[in-house]
Structures are given as C-alpha cells and as structure tokens.
Amino acid sequence: MKIGVHPNNLHLRLARLWPGAFADLQPIFVSYAEGRDTAALLESGDIDLGGTGSTPPIEADMRGLGVEYIAASAPRPANGAIFVRSDSPIGSVAELKDRRISLIDGSFQTYLLVRSLEGEGMSLPDVERVESGARDSLADLLEGRVDAWVAMSPRLEKALERDDVKPIVRCGAAIPNRSLFWTLERNGVSAAEIRAIVSELSRIGVEIAADPRAAARLLASGDRGGTDFDAWEKVVRSRDFTVFPIDDEIIAEQQEEADTLLRHGHFDKAIVLKRPETTR
C-alpha cells in the first residue's frame, strides 16, 4: 500500500518512522509537499491513502473524485490560531474586516477563518485572503505585508512564545479540527484493508501517547525546518492521537463544513456527502 506523507500530518509522518508501522500492508511511504496535493496524488494512483485536515477531501468531492473516508482523529483544538502583531490595533476577529490575512487557502485554515468571521457576523469576502504557501508568514506579519496570519503546528507553538505577536482566536473555539484519513473509491481499497488501516493508525496513536518523548525525538531527528526536540515535544503532548473509524458524526461535521464554505462563496455548488453505510 502506498501511503502518502506530507509534513503537516504528524500521525502519518510519525507512522513512517514508527517501528513496524503498517507491516501487514507492505507499506511504501510516499513523501509530498502539502495536504492540498493529496487528491491529485490519489487520483493519479501515486498514493492509496492520505491524511489531511478536513477541507481537502471536501475539495476533492467537489471535483467529483468520489472520496472514501477511512478514519478520523479526535478533535485537535490546539492546532490552529489566528495571530496579529502585538502592536496591532486589531484586537478581535470583528476587526479583521478589509484586512489582509495570510493562510494556506483550501486547507482547514480556510474553514477556521470562515467560522471565526461568521461568529462576528461577517463572511469570507469581507477579508482579503493571501496565499502563504511555503513562505515565512510570520515574517510577512511582522513586516506588515499582511495584517493577520492563520498558523498551525509546529510554527504555532513557537509563535505563542513570542512577545511581538498575539492570538485573537484559537482553533478549539471555532472548529473541531480533526485529521481525516481517506482515499478515493476508484482506488479499490478493500474492506479488510480499511479495517487494517484503522487498527494500525489507532495502535500507533496509543503508542505515541504512551511515549511522547520518543515521538518528539523522531520528529526532531528528521526536521529540516529548524523545530527542535523541546518544541516537538510540546506539539506531541498538546494533541490527542486517538483515531476512530468513520461514523455519522464525522460525516455530519464534514457536511456542515461543506455547507458553510458554500454559504461563504468558497464553493460554488452544493454537495451531499455519503454516509458510512452507503460507502463500500
């Protein structure tokens, strides 16, 4: 089985390094740049399984690719925030109107922004989205090229320690922010393979929780972005690595996100997601 691994899905990133991970599925771990590439890699057959935030699989279904959800993490309320400069006159989400906001657009960060704006009676067109990509968004914020920055781990934890930026909203106040593990129906992942994937993701999650320092050492040893062991340990300890099979609650959350993003103009058509009992 070809398992896609990108830097921002820590569960699969750790699975690639974890002793014996997915051994029964004869895994081939395929590295790629970011979660938004997952659908294209699944479509081309370069990978059989990917893990992302909540938004990329909805984007894939909007393209008619036929997403098959396999598993979901527990909510990860600590893994996202919107920051402004400490000296900024912006003190709340309500003051983001007409401001420039750096984010990875089309990721869970878009949904975090949308729900935060909606809570203040605003909508997505009320702000200017600035695609961050691989740029240093913290520098963009500090140097005034943007007014706010949607951040996630591990940069999030570093930003929280700084005096020159401040969070105005945290993820847990707005969205569940789960990791979703998924494939496409066309890839023919069998029911037995799905059970094995869920079981293995769950096992690895339990072992990570039991030894977060070991997980942090693995992440730090392969990190090219300068995040050290102490920072990775904070990241690992801050999140719940529990994984569940897909159920109606998860699909309902995904449906709510799809409907919300449609309402705000991010999507241009409605979609009805399949319930677990209607998938293979």
Side-chain angles (χ1 to χ4, degrees):
M1 176 166 288
K2 292 171 286 188
I3 301 173
V5 180
H6 63 88
N8 292 326
N9 190 280
L10 296 189
H11 208 116
L12 291 178
R13 187 171 169 179
L14 279 165
R16 180 177 59 184
L17 304 170
W18 212 255
F22 293 97
D24 291 345
L25 293 172
Q26 299 180 303
I28 299 171
F29 291 100
V30 179
S31 297
Y32 60 103
E34 60 164 281
R36 291 178 300 181
D37 298 330
T38 303
L41 292 169
L42 288 167
E43 185 179 14
S44 66
D46 290 322
I47 62 174
D48 302 309
L49 169 70
T52 67
S54 57
T55 310
I58 301 173
E59 297 266 6
D61 258 335
M62 286 289 176
R63 291 173 50 203
L65 294 183
V67 168
E68 181 160 20
Y69 290 96
I70 292 176
S73 76
R76 290 173 171 169
N79 186 35
I82 302 176
F83 285 88
V84 297
R85 293 184 304 277
S86 293
D87 61 359
S88 171
I90 301 169
S92 68
V93 173
E95 296 169 288
L96 289 177
K97 185 174 174 59
D98 298 325
R99 302 288 190 164
R100 290 169 55 83
I101 302 172
S102 175
L103 77 165
I104 301 174
D105 208 8
S107 73
F108 85 90
Q109 296 184 7
T110 303
Y111 189 40
L112 172 58
L113 177 60
V114 164
R115 288 296 298 268
S116 300
L117 292 171
E118 192 170 71
E120 298 293 340
M122 294 191 290
S123 63
L124 203 52
D126 288 326
V127 300
E128 181 180 349
R129 288 176 281 175
V130 178
E131 172 60 42
S132 65
R135 288 200 318 276
D136 184 353
S137 298
L138 176 59
D140 286 345
L141 178 62
L142 293 175
E143 294 168 17
R145 289 185 289 275
V146 296
D147 302 296
W149 164 42
V150 186
M152 63 182 173
S153 297
R155 291 180 177 178
L156 170 66
E157 284 75 17
K158 288 186 174 182
L160 289 170
E161 295 174 353
R162 299 179 66 99
D163 296 328
D164 49 3
V165 294
K166 62 184 179 183
I168 57 172
V169 68
R170 296 295 300 271
C171 207
I175 64 173
N177 193 30
R178 301 179 191 269
S179 286
L180 279 299
F181 303 93
W182 52 288
T183 185
L184 301 181
E185 292 175 350
R186 68 182 70 182
N187 289 348
V189 178
S190 70
E193 287 172 324
I194 288 174
R195 289 193 296 271
I197 291 166
V198 175
S199 176
E200 193 65 350
L201 288 169
S202 179
R203 180 189 71 82
I204 293 166
V206 169
E207 293 183 6
I208 291 169
D211 196 351
R213 290 180 63 82
R217 278 194 296 271
L218 290 172
L219 291 167
S221 66
D223 189 279
R224 297 180 181 179
T227 303
D228 60 19
F229 169 80
D230 289 339
W232 276 123
E233 186 177 8
K234 289 180 183 178
V235 172
V236 173
R237 290 187 182 277
S238 73
R239 67 175 56 191
D240 186 341
F241 282 89
T242 305
V243 170
F244 311 95
I246 287 299
D247 59 18
D248 282 349
E249 179 184 354
I250 306 299
I251 297 300
E253 286 180 1
Q254 292 294 98
Q255 186 67 61
E256 181 180 0
E257 177 172 348
D259 295 345
T260 301
L261 291 173
L262 172 67
R263 191 164 62 246
H264 284 257
H266 182 74
F267 294 137
D268 59 6
K269 62 180 180 180
I271 189 169
V272 177
L273 301 184
K274 291 182 179 179
R275 297 288 173 178
E277 61 270 18
T278 64
T279 60
R280 285 188 301 104

